[in-house]
Amino acid sequence: MMKYRVTPEEPIVGRRLAVNGIVQGVGFRPFVYQLAHQYGLKGEVSNTSSGVTIHIEGSEEKLQAFIRDLAEKSPPLAHITEVSTSYEPARNYTEFTIEPSKRQSSRWALISPDTAICDDCLRELFDPTDRRYQYPFINCTNCGPRYTIIDDIPYDRPNTSMKRFTMCQPCQKEYDDPADRRFHTQPNACAVCGPNVALYDNGRTHVLSRDPIKRTAELLKKGHIVAIKGLGGFHLAVDAENSDAVVRLRQRKHREEKPLALMSYDIDRVRGYAYIEPDEEVLLTSPQRPIVLVKKRNSNPLSHEISPHNINFGVMLPYTPLHYLLLSYDFTALVMTSGNIREEPIAIDNEEAFERLGAIADYFLVHNRDIYLRSDDSIVRRVGRATRFIRRSRGYIPIPIFLKEKGPQILACGAELKNTVCLTKGKNAFLSQHIGDLENLETYRFFEMTVRHMKRILDIDPQIVACDLHPDYLSTRYAEEQKGIKNIAVQHHHAHIVSCMVENRLDGPVLGLSFDGTGYGTDGRIWGGEVLIAEAHQFTRAAHLAYLPMPGGAAAIREPWRMAISYLYDAFGEGFLGLKLPLFQGLEKEKIKIIMHMISKKVNAPQTSSLGRLFDGIAAILGIRKKVAYEGQAAMELEMAIREETEESYDYEWELGKESYQVLVGPIVRGVVRDMENGLEVSDISSKFHMTLIRLFSDLCTVLRQETDLDHVVLSGGVFQNAILLAGLKKALEEKHFQVFTHCVVPCNDGGISLGQAAVAAAIAKSLD
């Protein structure tokens, strides 16, 4: 530490510092207190509704050193976005103190996400000499619940679900001691004064046990399904090595084939059933503790039913003390899937869990610390040397995305699938946690509750509400019901591209490749294979997949064989009936004729340009998947069929229509069928199909560059969850000297679309000023 010479003549000056960012609930005030004492400075620090305020006085030299270290040495969970410094007369403080929180009319504090148990607390958890030995709610200023227990700001105990628990004398002493790791830790507690766990059967009978967690472990080892209350909601758990239990869980939860998440005690146990790359280990052990998609070992001890027809497992490490205690009973892994019935929000309340999960779980391990806002586990994947979000939720919410410039306060309502909402204030865009598919009343109520909660804790009163262009989405209807507020509808694929532009701080115009399954177009048709020339406030459609019928509408999403018939009919006419394809095995001829009739007569066969549907159709033609049990399954299995990547591709072409280029899918389909008839392996055909798309769209971008002089390409939309397409297309474009921009902060799927809606609405509002 630098030495300072103190003399009576050294003038005392004062400063007022307003610190904004994630500075509440992360040990920031104790850090300020200790830093002030280190430099011999006097004054005070307090939480406010807008962050942290510091009044400090001392010599100019020491003040400058204090301000420097404030930014450079802040606690690990803190994130300072702004420090405003102003001069003020010295008040002649006699010491430096931490003052009670101050409520202001302007509420502007950023809230810390929930974080995994830290190493210090983990050591204490398993230390028999520690007074919190095996206490399942141990936490400190560096870890534990935050966002899920906050009801209002400032982040103080009376504004959290810990307000009902009065600290015992030892806990209060820690809480009051600025030198203690638990100083002003709002969830601070112990077994004497804090929350506790209890075990019940599904008839709500209390299962008496001196150690409910140990008893739960015994029940899991016997094959029972246990609903476990965690940080952001309930999980449904079974022993991952017990296939009967896994099958029973799938049957009761009505989750036939979608992969189930796993949790293991440590990395070494995960290595017993999956391959872990160094970057994946970093993610698995990070304070955010997301589910990470990792490659399965061919030979592993886990049930085949966990992730059927899939080369990956979704794995996470424990993030609460309760998880660690439970997994310490020698499990290779536990299935820890969301505590909900299919497509509904996860349960967070004990009574709610008994009501909704009673037909699934045999037992319930609950606790009495309320969860104010549910938060699903986040899901990530490493692709192309970067972390890609599939779901951004617990551990990352509500950290904002920082915008290039200030704009009006906006509420963006998101899409129908994988819904999130976004609220903006100043230069910050706040994405909500994962809400889910807005297809039922329960999820819609969660959507409404999330909007209310975020508006309150962020003190946002939107001037504009943005929504999807689709008139029948529940999120759109919600937006239209908001009275006295400007409503801006945003085209789905435009929002996708702009969300990526915001993330990468681009102004545009750019070439935007927006590929997904479904999005309502400006012409009333179903878009999804779009090449746009996009700016934040406007776009033009430069190219798209040629329209083809989608027989049965939404039924074609659940049954990809319908799209296969549509593509074959387009490519071969009625002659496709004479082809020898695995698609036709077990498919009734009468059903095929009905689909042909729907297509030819244009009955319940809306037109689509979706690349997601093309993936589905090719998967069905190859015999990979005629029906799906969950969204994206056919496309995912088509990608996973690839054993080796190829440089070969099929013929492709486009033609210039009235307003844009139209990519013809017939040549690709004919190439696929020809290879099928010639006996080429499915894995090789899938590889050629992927390479065809990579070459097709990189070539098309080259043509558009010649016409527009644009060399910035933005990739967005759910199809880019396909790692081979994303990495391959990015590489091909870069080899053609394009600058390519992708998502690393929000999901490329509809989970990130609300960010784009907010940015488009802000840009439109600005253009109209």
Side-chain angles (χ1 to χ4, degrees):
M1 184 181 75
M2 188 179 295
K3 302 293 185 180
Y4 295 93
R5 183 171 60 86
V6 181
T7 67
E9 293 79 22
E10 198 169 15
I12 301 299
V13 294
R15 295 283 193 283
R16 180 185 183 276
L17 278 65
V19 187
N20 294 330
I22 299 176
V23 290
Q24 294 190 15
V26 293
F28 192 76
R29 287 179 300 166
F31 159 71
V32 171
Y33 174 90
Q34 292 162 11
L35 191 62
H37 277 264
Q38 175 183 329
Y39 286 112
L41 301 171
K42 314 299 182 185
E44 65 181 31
V45 60
S46 62
N47 276 347
T48 68
S49 296
S50 57
V52 165
T53 298
I54 304 168
H55 296 276
I56 195 156
E57 56 190 44
S59 72
E60 182 67 34
E61 187 179 13
K62 290 181 181 179
L63 284 178
Q64 291 300 323
F66 172 87
I67 293 170
R68 180 195 65 228
D69 286 356
L70 192 72
E72 294 179 358
K73 299 180 180 180
S74 58
L77 299 184
H79 184 93
I80 297 174
T81 59
E82 183 180 22
V83 179
S84 300
T85 304
S86 58
Y87 290 88
E88 64 177 16
R91 302 182 185 181
N92 297 317
Y93 289 100
T94 59
E95 59 182 342
F96 193 92
T97 59
I98 298 178
E99 296 298 301
S101 297
K102 299 174 182 178
R103 183 175 291 273
Q104 300 172 322
S105 58
S106 173
R107 297 147 56 86
W108 189 220
L110 300 184
I111 299 165
S112 171
D114 304 291
T115 56
I117 181 174
C118 68
D119 291 341
D120 290 330
C121 285
L122 189 58
R123 279 192 292 271
E124 293 171 349
L125 181 66
F126 289 105
D127 180 359
T129 66
D130 192 277
R131 74 183 189 92
R132 291 187 176 86
Y133 174 59
Q134 294 191 342
Y135 181 57
F137 303 96
I138 187 172
N139 66 88
C140 73
T141 196
N142 296 319
C143 69
R146 297 289 191 277
Y147 180 63
T148 53
I149 65 169
I150 293 174
D151 187 50
D152 205 348
I153 54 173
Y155 175 64
D156 289 323
R157 198 175 180 106
N159 291 330
T160 74
S161 60
M162 289 298 295
K163 62 187 176 185
R164 59 181 287 199
F165 300 101
T166 302
M167 283 181 280
C168 64
Q169 187 174 355
C171 285
Q172 188 69 51
K173 184 179 179 182
E174 294 168 332
Y175 184 88
D176 294 333
D177 182 1
D180 195 281
R181 199 175 87 248
R182 294 187 170 89
F183 176 70
H184 280 214
T185 297
Q186 306 309 332
N188 190 35
C190 69
V192 174
C193 64
N196 56 70
V197 297
L199 182 64
Y200 292 83
D201 65 20
N202 58 9
R204 306 193 190 196
T205 301
H206 189 194
V207 179
L208 298 176
S209 174
R210 294 184 62 182
D211 189 341
I213 295 175
K214 181 180 181 181
R215 180 66 180 131
T216 298
E218 293 169 351
L219 291 167
L220 288 165
K221 287 181 181 292
K222 291 179 180 178
H224 290 290
I225 302 170
V226 183
I228 300 171
K229 188 177 184 180
L231 195 59
F234 276 81
H235 285 109
L236 290 164
V238 295
D239 184 350
E241 294 185 273
N242 188 326
S243 283
D244 290 341
V246 175
V247 169
R248 192 162 59 253
L249 173 60
R250 284 195 177 279
Q251 290 171 341
R252 293 183 185 179
K253 189 175 158 68
H254 305 295
R255 184 166 173 160
E256 294 87 355
E257 297 184 45
K258 193 173 184 179
L260 301 169
L262 296 168
M263 181 182 284
S264 289
Y265 186 88
D266 56 23
I267 287 288
D268 287 341
R269 286 174 174 81
V270 177
R271 287 198 175 99
Y273 56 83
Y275 298 100
I276 306 297
E277 298 295 330
D279 289 341
E280 293 166 343
E281 181 172 349
V282 170
L283 286 168
L284 284 165
T285 57
S286 69
Q288 292 81 17
R289 288 293 202 280
I291 296 171
V292 182
L293 299 191
V294 295
K295 189 176 180 180
K296 291 178 183 177
R297 289 189 180 275
N298 292 331
S299 177
N300 68 76
L302 305 187
S303 168
H304 174 73
E305 300 299 325
I306 291 168
S307 184
H309 314 294
N310 200 304
I311 62 173
N312 297 321
F313 284 129
V315 182
M316 58 184 157
L317 295 187
Y319 52 87
T320 71
L322 189 153
H323 293 152
Y324 270 105
L325 291 170
L326 185 59
L327 283 156
S328 69
Y329 289 98
D330 198 30
F331 291 97
T332 300
L334 290 177
V335 167
M336 293 285 272
T337 190
S338 300
N340 60 356
I341 300 172
R342 184 174 181 174
E343 307 305 338
E344 291 185 359
I346 56 173
I348 58 173
D349 178 76
N350 294 345
E351 287 302 312
E352 174 195 14
F354 284 126
E355 287 282 343
R356 290 173 50 200
L357 306 179
I360 302 175
D362 303 310
Y363 293 90
F364 290 76
L365 182 65
V366 302
H367 59 73
N368 57 345
R369 185 180 69 200
D370 290 337
I371 299 169
Y372 281 157
L373 202 63
R374 57 176 53 87
S375 190
D376 287 83
D377 297 314
S378 296
I379 307 174
V380 300
R381 182 184 190 185
R382 290 290 297 180
V383 178
R385 299 190 300 279
T387 299
R388 315 289 180 176
F389 281 93
I390 296 171
R391 183 166 72 201
R392 184 178 183 264
S393 200
R394 177 194 50 77
Y396 299 93
I397 300 300
I399 296 175
I401 288 88
F402 300 107
L403 307 174
K404 287 187 69 174
E405 59 184 43
K406 291 183 178 180
Q409 295 187 10
I410 295 171
L411 164 64
C413 297
E416 180 176 58
L417 301 180
K418 300 178 177 64
N419 181 270
T420 62
V421 299
C422 178
L423 288 107
T424 65
K425 186 174 187 178
K427 285 188 173 183
N428 296 282
F430 299 90
L431 259 72
S432 73
Q433 71 278 35
H434 171 77
I435 294 172
D437 296 348
L438 285 181
E439 297 178 328
N440 55 64
L441 181 60
E442 291 79 8
T443 308
Y444 182 69
R445 286 172 175 166
F446 176 32
F447 166 89
E448 292 181 305
M449 182 183 73
T450 300
V451 171
R452 288 195 302 269
H453 188 88
M454 291 184 69
K455 285 169 65 175
R456 181 172 68 253
I457 66 173
L458 298 171
D459 191 35
I460 293 177
D461 184 17
Q463 303 161 254
I464 298 170
V465 59
C467 62
D468 196 274
L469 198 62
H470 198 299
D472 295 330
Y473 284 175
L474 291 177
S475 54
T476 301
R477 292 179 179 178
Y478 173 88
E480 291 171 346
E481 290 169 1
Q482 306 310 301
K483 304 302 181 185
I485 182 171
K486 184 177 179 62
N487 186 326
I488 296 177
V490 180
Q491 200 282 321
H492 189 90
H493 300 93
H494 184 207
H496 266 310
I497 297 303
V498 174
S499 70
C500 192
M501 291 172 63
V502 170
E503 184 179 323
N504 288 282
R505 305 179 75 81
L506 299 175
D507 291 322
V510 301
L511 295 176
L513 275 57
S514 187
F515 300 156
D516 63 4
T518 300
Y520 192 79
T522 54
D523 58 2
R525 296 175 176 178
I526 301 169
W527 291 10
E530 311 306 312
V531 181
L532 310 179
I533 297 172
E535 299 176 73
H537 68 290
Q538 64 183 7
F539 74 94
T540 56
R541 195 183 191 196
H544 60 88
L545 290 188
Y547 286 120
L548 282 175
M550 188 174 164
I557 300 173
R558 298 186 297 270
E559 300 179 348
W561 68 267
R562 293 171 178 256
M563 288 308 305
I565 298 299
S566 184
Y567 290 121
L568 291 170
Y569 200 3
D570 170 72
F572 295 97
E574 293 187 5
F576 84 88
L577 292 169
L579 299 173
K580 295 181 179 179
L581 298 172
L583 166 70
F584 300 132
Q585 295 175 9
L587 197 58
E588 298 175 17
K589 290 184 179 180
E590 189 59 33
K591 283 188 174 181
I592 296 174
K593 289 180 180 179
I594 291 172
I595 296 300
M596 292 172 65
H597 180 77
M598 293 170 68
I599 293 170
S600 61
K601 299 298 182 182
K602 300 180 180 179
V603 176
N604 191 20
Q607 297 284 301
T608 182
S609 62
S610 167
L611 184 58
R613 298 289 79 80
L614 180 59
F615 269 88
D616 286 353
I618 297 298
I621 290 170
L622 296 181
I624 292 174
R625 177 67 57 177
K626 296 177 188 175
K627 296 183 180 180
V628 297
Y630 58 91
E631 187 213 1
Q633 184 180 16
M636 188 184 304
E637 291 182 12
L638 178 62
E639 175 192 0
M640 291 180 181
I642 297 174
R643 291 197 292 267
E644 292 183 6
E645 295 184 37
T646 182
E647 291 299 314
E648 295 185 59
S649 62
Y650 297 112
D651 293 337
Y652 53 86
E653 61 181 280
W654 56 77
E655 60 186 20
L656 183 60
K658 290 183 180 179
E659 298 178 346
S660 60
Y661 290 105
Q662 297 185 32
V663 177
L664 306 179
V665 298
I668 301 173
V669 173
R670 285 190 288 272
V672 167
V673 170
R674 182 171 59 249
D675 277 349
M676 286 289 291
E677 292 182 321
N678 290 336
L680 194 66
E681 292 286 337
V682 166
S683 62
D684 296 326
I685 297 174
S686 178
S687 185
K688 285 180 68 173
F689 172 70
H690 281 76
M691 180 53 68
T692 302
L693 297 179
I694 290 166
R695 288 185 173 165
L696 188 166
F697 287 107
S698 61
D699 285 352
L700 184 54
C701 284
T702 302
V703 171
L704 292 171
R705 176 168 57 187
Q706 293 169 351
E707 297 177 359
T708 64
D709 206 31
L710 297 176
D711 64 357
H712 284 36
V713 179
V714 169
L715 309 181
S716 188
V719 168
F720 284 111
Q721 289 178 177
N722 183 311
I724 292 173
L725 182 64
L726 174 61
L729 186 53
K730 184 173 184 292
K731 180 175 180 286
L733 287 165
E734 288 173 342
E735 287 175 349
K736 293 177 181 288
H737 307 294
F738 286 97
Q739 293 187 59
V740 183
F741 300 89
T742 60
H743 287 281
C744 293
V745 177
V746 302
C748 66
N749 59 36
D750 285 3
I753 210 166
S754 58
L755 174 64
Q757 291 175 344
V760 171
I764 290 175
K766 182 179 178 180
S767 70
L768 296 176
D769 286 345

